[in-house]
Amino acid sequence: MWIDSNAYVGHWPFRQVTNNSCKSAVERMEKFGVDISLVTNMNGVFYKNTQAANQELHAEIRSNGRWKERLLPFAVINPIYSGWRRDMEESLSKLGMKGIRLFPKYHRYELTNPHCVELVKRARDRGVPVGLTLRMVDSRPSSWLDITDEWTLKDILPIIKAVPDGQFMILNIANSTAMEQEGLSLIKRANVFMDTSGRNIVDLGGLMSTFGKDKFGFGSHSPILDYRTGALRIAALREEEASPAIRQDLMSGNIVRFMRL
């Protein structure tokens, strides 16, 4: 079984994106043998009212009864937008969202913002994960209208320190994973899941040795990135790095336990 922990639908305003609907997502899942995808609506990164994007995603999934079991939605919430608590409650209780995605760089707040910390604590209390993306698109060839600064892995540490018993997804690790021992120990202790889509996951075996084999799993970051790269990083592991059981955990087992699916 394969589960994609990092997939999107919707539009990106600074470049053309294809295969970005629920229908095309399921078609690609069928083509590449993926059983379930955790899906976020990219429109929520840019809508002033992110809840409109969550409602769009909910409606699109509901439009086909077969998609409900295969596309598990995540809600985009902006904790500095008025009404975010209501939006979060509606997303989790009424729309059936399985987690929360935050985009602080685009919504212009720090991870230590009191509203952000409150949101993560509320998610913890509801037993749902909070996803943070180190890079949406490569800033180097991106539009002059897009953001230019990107996160490294250590930039996520402040929110983990603020809510050490939270549940965090760190996605598209495209930049440095270097950090001091204190940060390394914090991530190893925390309930953290990282996907295989990012450029700096090329040494997946080394990262599993550093952070723990249970903290990683397949993610595509599609349709922005190539659909198969995240899977090929698992396939490329040497026998001494990953037994058949560990490969199965990377394909789906780790995210199943993390999400309690």
Side-chain angles (χ1 to χ4, degrees):
M1 173 184 250
W2 285 89
I3 297 179
D4 185 354
S5 62
N6 180 21
Y8 296 91
V9 298
H11 299 279
W12 195 255
F14 308 122
R15 57 180 277 191
Q16 184 183 45
V17 178
T18 58
N19 299 308
N20 57 337
S21 67
C22 287
K23 181 177 183 294
S24 60
V26 172
E27 288 173 351
R28 297 186 86 193
M29 290 165 65
E30 293 284 354
K31 178 179 179 180
F32 293 109
V34 174
D35 301 276
I36 295 172
S37 290
L38 311 184
V39 181
T40 304
N41 188 352
M42 287 188 291
N43 296 343
V45 180
F46 297 96
Y47 286 174
K48 182 176 180 180
N49 177 9
T50 64
Q51 192 63 2
N54 301 328
Q55 292 164 347
E56 285 176 357
L57 178 58
H58 171 74
E60 189 173 359
I61 292 174
R62 298 275 294 186
S63 70
N64 187 314
R66 295 175 296 174
W67 294 347
K68 185 177 180 181
E69 302 302 320
R70 303 195 64 185
L71 300 177
L72 306 185
F74 271 54
V76 179
I77 302 293
N78 179 0
I80 63 170
Y81 181 76
S82 177
W84 70 264
R85 296 176 185 85
R86 178 193 63 241
D87 293 343
M88 181 174 175
E89 180 61 29
E90 179 188 31
S91 293
L92 297 177
S93 297
K94 297 182 180 180
L95 304 185
M97 301 288 173
K98 305 301 182 183
I100 304 298
R101 295 291 301 273
L102 301 181
F103 297 90
K105 289 289 186 181
Y106 285 93
H107 294 157
R108 299 180 183 177
Y109 62 88
E110 300 294 329
L111 284 172
T112 52
N113 183 290
H115 293 296
C116 179
V117 174
E118 180 188 348
L119 183 153
V120 174
K121 288 181 177 178
R122 284 174 176 254
R124 173 203 62 194
D125 295 344
R126 295 292 296 269
V128 297
V130 173
L132 298 158
T133 304
L134 298 196
R135 169 194 280 180
M136 282 300 295
V137 296
D138 190 338
S139 64
R140 291 169 298 178
S142 190
S143 166
W144 61 93
L145 296 172
D146 205 347
I147 64 171
T148 57
D149 52 339
E150 300 174 355
W151 273 335
T152 64
L153 187 55
K154 68 180 180 180
D155 292 320
I156 306 299
L157 296 177
I159 192 61
I160 300 178
K161 288 181 180 179
V163 193
D165 53 350
Q167 190 177 354
F168 300 96
M169 300 178 74
I170 306 177
L171 306 170
N172 194 14
I173 301 174
N175 299 311
S176 174
T177 59
M179 64 183 68
E180 296 179 354
Q181 185 60 42
E182 179 185 2
L184 176 60
S185 298
L186 181 63
I187 289 183
K188 291 174 72 173
R189 292 194 306 270
N191 189 7
V192 168
F193 176 92
M194 294 177 270
D195 84 312
T196 59
S197 67
R199 182 184 62 188
N200 268 23
I201 301 291
V202 64
D203 182 18
L204 177 57
L207 290 171
M208 291 194 304
S209 178
T210 298
F211 294 104
K213 295 179 175 64
D214 62 326
K215 293 190 180 294
F216 292 88
F218 169 57
S220 68
H221 200 68
S222 66
I224 295 175
L225 296 181
D226 173 78
Y227 198 86
R228 290 299 287 169
T229 299
L232 290 173
R233 291 192 174 116
I234 297 172
L237 289 168
R238 299 186 298 274
E239 290 185 8
E240 60 268 27
E241 293 176 314
S243 66
I246 290 173
R247 290 179 192 275
Q248 187 59 53
D249 283 341
L250 294 169
M251 291 162 57
S252 61
N254 287 338
I255 191 65
V256 164
R257 287 186 286 273
F258 180 82
M259 293 285 299
R260 297 184 289 275
L261 295 176

